[in-house]
Amino acid sequence: MDLGKKVIYQIYPKSFYDSNNDGIGDLRGIIEKIPYIAKLNIDMIWFNPFFVSPQHDNGYDIADYYQIDPRFGTMQDFDELVSKLKDINVDVMLDMVFNHCSTENKWFQEALKGNKKYMDYFYLRKAKANGELPTNWQSKFGGPAWEKFGDTDLYYLHLFDKSQADLNWHNPDVRKEASNIVNFWRNKGVKGFRFDVLNLIGKDENLIDSTDPIEEKKLYTDTPIVEKYIKELNRNSFGQDPNSITVGEMSSTTIEKSIEYTKPSNDELSMVFAFHHLKVDYKDDNKWTQKPFDFMQLKQVLSKWQTGMDQGDGWQALFWNNHDQPWALSRFGDPINYREKSAEMLATTLHLLRGTPYIYMGEEIGMINPHYYSIHNYVDVECLNAYQELMDAGYSAHEAFNIIKTKSRDNARVPMHWDASRNAGFTTGKPWLKPTDQTEINVENELKNGEIFTYYQKLIKLRKSEELISDGHFKAELLDHPQVFAYRRYLDHSSKQLLVLNNFYGYEPWTDIPTDLQGKKATVLIDNYGTKDCITMPDSIKLKPYQSIAFKF
Ligand code: GLC
Ligand code: CA
């Protein structure tokens, strides 16, 4: 299995396609759209959770890990989906949420009844002697990370919503449940697993107060036992299949840890998601702020991770978008004046890097943040809490709304735009989240008149045929250039090289060519302006607005 040749597509089932018009996307809807998916030639699809869940956090609060939630379909639908995707050579990656489970899960319900076995599945603690909560930790969705445990004098830990109780990984029974679940789905033909916030499972048994928010994260992030338990999970489940593909979602992690999690000799994971490149538009490390993105920082972060992971034999999941992020095109591109060119530039930048690229549904047609005019259009628990907190902190409703507009996770969760009709062809019922801008941006229009989709097809094809892309090392170039992100890919065993130039702006910067490549003959591997195939490299090149061009030597 060659990780470097794979491309993974992400589907948020709730928003892909609604087959029975109840306003919620479903598995049969995905089956109906397989012909569309087949056009892209991707290798695997990561599905966000569709297990039984009360949906307080859109399925990341799992009440039954072994059943499909009826709103998404049945086990039969799932089996059919897996087999029909096999027919087009696409494997399935499921989302395993093991840091926490829903408080409606039978484990938690049994615990509430006083069943000792299950009480030990969770972090239950007494209040401090002075009556304060067991620790001063904050939930990532706002408010304290502790909630009263039934009628007892205990509290349970929840790093996310209070409906998501953290699981106690020190308990071998909990770890056994996790490997049983993975093996259950493996038996159904599932080859890929994405592990939700996996580096948070290693909280200490002895929980203590933090002194500040940064130190607080360190108390429960990337602790040494995380690796120990990943190794165990690997041995007892997916590691038994040499063709499995795994990715750990790693909150606030480091390059050093990510190398350990992914280097093949460690038998942990195939790759990790890290998020530092998506924080370059945060003010003071705070998501709920507004700031134009810092291009120099973006370049530095991406280059540092590429170089570090390459040198340490680690492997990265490459992504701009997912169901938790506002659209990259709205953040780092120009959706008004150069929607197509900037979408293609972002795609090129990412797809020619070292790692395994992920495409989030809708990215391939250049979807952008929706234009909502009221806070009532938003539904995500995280952003609604943040809205309240911003108002409590003294922001006006208008200011708070503008922040939500650029940062809410609902931005990317908007239903896929299939056509220009009222609900974007997603449903004839009332969509659970409202689409906007579908008259211009939709699949039908894109396939007929657009250029982004075909450009993605080209990038995917190139990764499969070009060793420089799938296996090459990474070297950053022109790190000081204020508009252009440039890098080189090269191999140990040949003199072939790739030089990739990406203009992140709507004007036309001059770009110096590294001296060792000047005067050499190069072929143009890909160019979103489609210039000629073969050139002799000049000393410098003037790039067009949002142009991306890759030269092969
Ligand atoms: C991950 C998921 C996110 C979810 C959170 C808690 O970050 O991607 O959607 O809310 O974990 O499970
Ligand atoms: Ca439905």
Side-chain angles (χ1 to χ4, degrees), residues 18-22 24-26 71:
D18 178 15
S19 72
N20 62 350
N21 296 313
D22 63 354
I24 296 173
D26 45 55
R71 49 198 119 204

Side-chain angles (χ1 to χ4, degrees), residues 50-55 67-74:
F50 40 57
F51 312 105
V52 171
S53 158
Q55 301 278 322
Q67 302 282 342
I68 309 291
D69 193 296
R71 49 198 119 204
F72 293 117
T74 64

Side-chain angles (χ1 to χ4, degrees), residues 267-307:
D267 287 328
E268 295 180 28
L269 301 166
S270 315
M271 61 189 126
V272 292
F273 287 119
F275 295 89
H276 301 276
H277 66 299
L278 297 177
K279 297 185 178 174
V280 298
D281 53 2
Y282 290 14
K283 214 183 275 169
D284 305 325
D285 218 23
N286 177 1
K287 167 170 169 173
W288 303 104
T289 51
Q290 263 180 315
K291 186 185 112 171
F293 81 103
D294 182 336
F295 174 64
M296 297 312 266
Q297 199 193 344
L298 178 68
K299 271 206 321 191
Q300 264 158 24
V301 173
L302 286 172
S303 304
K304 221 171 104 191
W305 273 78
Q306 282 282 301
T307 313

